[in-house]
Amino acid sequence: MATTETFDSISPATGEVLGTLPRSGAEDVGRAVATAKAAYEDWRLVPAPRRGEILFRFAQILEREKAALTDLMTREMGKVKAEAGGDVQEAIDMSYYMAGEGRRLWGQTTPSELRDKFNMSVRVPIGVVGVITPWNFPIAIPSWKLAPALVAGNTVVLKPAEDTPLLAQRFVDLLAEAGVPEGVVEVVHGFGEEAGKALVDHPDVPVITFTGSRETGIAVATAAAQQLKHVHLELGGKNGVIVMEDADLDLAVEGITWSAFGTSGQRCTAASRVIVHEAVYAELQTRLVAAAERMRLGPGWEDGTDIGPVINRAALEKIDSYTAIGKDEGAKLLTGGEIATDGDLARGFYYRPTIFADAEPGMRIAQEEIFGPTTTLIPVKDFDEAIRVANGIRYGLSSAIFTRDVNRAFRAMRDLQAGITYVNAGTIGAEVHLPFGGTKDTGNGHREAGQAALDVFTEWKSIYVDYSGKLQKAQIDTAT
Ligand code: UN1
């Protein structure tokens, strides 16, 4: 390590220091990239099924470590036990899924327009992938990026979020235990402006995959464009749930509560808008407020906690500032809207589940990503208005509709401008074998997860094999 500087990992539940890590700078990044670049020369030649077997073993090791990682996640990131377990499970699922890709990685074979000639396309790895991950899914999201990158034959330099470095370090250590050779996965800890930027700028890192804010995503893409790098971006969301007048309201309340307040609202997929038909607007408000007020705040590791802390003080203050913004704009605060400081909660960063009502679709609380336990109700007159309001934002990640009308459900599936649409479920809960990502300002057209992830981490190569023994000219020799 070139750096002698360090930073602390702090528990958002208690403010305790959980560990101290090296604060990597450009020199450390340079060393990590050189190591990963050297390791690439052999890793790309390891048969893909063998690479897949390492991921399979990694999935098994994650299963063995699930309880320990879950506990650490409740402490370092703050989410509640059930959700932390889900985060680890998502990495287990992704690792098993991508392990299978080791025996697929399919290309195409296709006829040639000439006699005695064979055509095919194959996926080839690209080189060193720069991976920049967020803190909100500290185990799942690294797996979304590393598992496909590795099975395809790339090596990786990972720069995890500075809020969850201990989990990232465990992740990388367990990959090594699974048999990933030395140098294939390097980790640099630290901050975006230092380590992250150095990774994006490094000439030997041809692929960057980044999950984070829209603004940082634009900075990453702009810097990477100077070197024509491949860039995959997974950015913000302002996901809306539509509740029609024929919806099962109990189910809708459950789905909204889970999607708006799960992970303390700190998911890109969180339901931060609820677009409600006026016929059920009053009733839904009453039921949602009752559900929110029943939720218990506390440390994630305690049984019975419904909502854990938010990640840090800056996040707490940002979330609180949006409560002030909502009030100023004239939306009606139904419940919450304050930092929770009773008893031990004062040691951590807790925000009460917050519901605004009577919002106009154009208000800032109905347009901007808050990334906290705040949701906003917007009344609408009919289905068409609901779709218009749902689409009237810059982002396009997740969307949902509660209705019993199959015609409306299918129209919503067609017309909602988002990478993900749920029918009769909330906006969260993506499964690993389907593409994950969004339209509009949520990204730049790429997807993680599913087969689609492989497109980020491979190049297509088209191969033509002429076994005629003579020079045949495509487009010229057109006689049969
Ligand atoms: C994210 O918030 O960045 O669908 C990822 C979900 C989770 C993944 C969320 N499976 O909410």
Side-chain angles (χ1 to χ4, degrees), residues 242-246 275-278 380-391 400-403 405-416:
I242 296 174
V243 183
M244 294 308 298
E245 76 279 24
D246 64 344
I275 299 153
V276 193
H277 191 282
E278 57 188 11
V380 290
K381 289 198 165 37
D382 55 28
F383 176 79
D384 288 341
E385 189 185 354
I387 296 284
R388 245 189 342 268
V389 169
N391 288 340
I401 183 166
F402 284 88
T403 180
D405 179 336
V406 70
N407 296 351
R408 280 173 175 168
F410 269 86
R411 280 194 198 113
M413 288 187 255
R414 183 191 61 195
D415 294 339
L416 284 171

Side-chain angles (χ1 to χ4, degrees), residues 90 136-137 141 144 211 266-269 422 427-431 436:
E90 203 158 334
N136 69 332
F137 277 80
I141 292 182
W144 292 8
T211 298
Q266 302 170 110
R267 293 196 190 210
C268 315
T269 49
Y422 290 91
T427 52
I428 69 175
E431 301 176 29
F436 181 92

Side-chain angles (χ1 to χ4, degrees), residues 237-241 259-260 269-274 365-366 368-372 374-378 427:
K238 190 70 191 173
N239 315 290
V241 175
S259 302
T269 49
S272 54
R273 298 181 301 152
V274 185
I365 50 162
E368 296 173 18
E369 186 171 47
I370 301 171
F371 227 62
T374 302
T375 198
T376 297
L377 308 189
I378 306 168
T427 52

Side-chain angles (χ1 to χ4, degrees), residues 72-343:
L72 178 58
M73 201 181 299
T74 63
R75 288 164 206 283
E76 191 180 41
M77 183 276 167
K79 62 175 79 173
V80 300
K81 225 190 291 179
E83 291 190 50
D87 190 314
V88 179
Q89 187 59 46
E90 203 158 334
I92 295 169
D93 297 344
M94 181 59 89
S95 302
Y96 278 130
Y97 175 65
M98 284 296 163
E101 272 312 314
R103 286 189 184 268
R104 285 188 295 266
L105 285 176
W106 284 320
Q108 298 107 30
T109 58
T110 183
S112 167
E113 63 194 47
L114 293 161
R115 287 176 187 247
D116 298 330
K117 192 178 169 196
F118 185 87
N119 293 354
M120 63 186 155
S121 63
V122 296
R123 289 187 185 276
V124 293
I126 307 176
V128 180
V129 177
V131 174
I132 304 175
T133 52
W135 46 263
N136 69 332
F137 277 80
I139 296 290
I141 292 182
S143 82
W144 292 8
K145 297 179 188 297
L146 266 73
L150 293 175
V151 80
N154 303 282
T155 56
V156 168
V157 176
L158 168 66
K159 205 300 275 176
E162 63 272 19
D163 290 291
T164 50
L166 297 178
L167 285 159
Q169 191 59 53
R170 281 301 289 149
F171 183 91
V172 169
D173 292 347
L174 296 176
L175 270 172
E177 186 190 332
V180 170
E182 241 181 90
V184 168
V185 176
E186 292 288 294
V187 61
V188 286
H189 290 292
F191 295 81
E193 314 81 68
E194 298 164 5
K197 184 171 184 325
L199 193 55
V200 172
D201 289 342
H202 201 294
D204 290 333
V205 180
V207 185
I208 299 289
T209 169
F210 168 80
T211 298
S213 72
R214 173 183 177 274
E215 289 63 35
T216 310
I218 290 171
V220 166
T222 305
Q226 299 307 315
Q227 298 177 52
L228 298 171
K229 296 189 180 200
H230 296 216
V231 180
H232 160 263
L233 301 173
E234 175 50 47
L235 311 175
K238 190 70 191 173
N239 315 290
V241 175
I242 296 174
V243 183
M244 294 308 298
E245 76 279 24
D246 64 344
D248 175 338
L249 283 195
D250 285 334
L251 182 64
V253 167
E254 245 188 290
I256 294 163
T257 311
W258 171 231
S259 302
F261 304 132
T263 328
S264 306
Q266 302 170 110
R267 293 196 190 210
C268 315
T269 49
S272 54
R273 298 181 301 152
V274 185
I275 299 153
V276 193
H277 191 282
E278 57 188 11
V280 290
Y281 187 63
E283 180 60 23
L284 191 80
Q285 278 185 44
T286 312
R287 295 200 205 181
L288 272 179
V289 168
E293 289 179 353
R294 268 197 305 273
M295 298 185 95
R296 234 202 76 198
L297 274 73
W301 58 85
E302 272 180 15
D303 291 326
T305 296
D306 298 305
I307 304 193
V310 299
I311 191 69
N312 54 35
R313 174 143 324 267
L316 194 65
E317 281 164 11
K318 179 182 168 194
I319 294 161
D320 200 38
S321 79
Y322 271 98
T323 296
I325 289 168
K327 285 185 191 162
D328 280 357
E329 288 176 311
K332 186 166 145 205
L333 180 63
L334 295 180
T335 186
E338 56 180 14
I339 296 171
T341 52
D342 15 320

